[in-house]
Amino acid sequence: TTIEITAIEGDRVSFATTTTLTGPDQTLKEGARSVTSKKVGGTGGGRGSVDLARLALTGDLEAEFKSEATADGKTAPLRFAMAIQVKPAASAPAP
């Protein structure tokens, strides 16, 4: 993952992230059965900011993981994707 600072404005630091994931072929064995995972990889990225005065993070991040699994002589593509939105909760009023 690479994090790039895109702006600094007062107490707010903005950033962008880029992620690349790769992995070797893998085989998981359980007793007489096995599953082989090939073409392991993924990408991700996002943008956000940190308010240093409040220690509050705001941002949107996305990631995707892909591979190809083979078990019992059958092969199927696998894909997992997620999106995360982070924002600070509204501050409680002072007592």
Side-chain angles (χ1 to χ4, degrees):
T1 299
T2 301
I3 301 172
E4 176 187 356
I5 302 299
T6 57
I8 300 174
E9 299 167 345
D11 292 333
R12 186 174 303 273
V13 177
S14 298
F15 62 90
T17 66
T18 304
T19 299
T20 302
L21 172 83
T22 60
D25 294 350
Q26 303 170 44
T27 300
L28 172 66
K29 295 182 180 183
E30 181 66 36
R33 300 190 71 171
S34 66
V35 175
T36 301
S37 183
K38 295 183 177 182
K39 301 179 182 177
V40 176
T43 59
R47 297 191 168 278
S49 64
V50 179
D51 181 338
L52 299 173
R54 296 179 47 215
L55 294 178
L57 173 67
T58 302
D60 295 294
L61 305 169
E62 294 182 359
E64 180 179 64
F65 171 82
K66 293 181 179 182
S67 70
E68 182 178 276
T70 302
D72 298 329
K74 296 178 183 174
T75 301
L78 299 177
R79 178 182 174 269
F80 304 95
M82 68 175 189
I84 300 171
Q85 183 179 55
V86 178
K87 59 184 177 180
S91 299

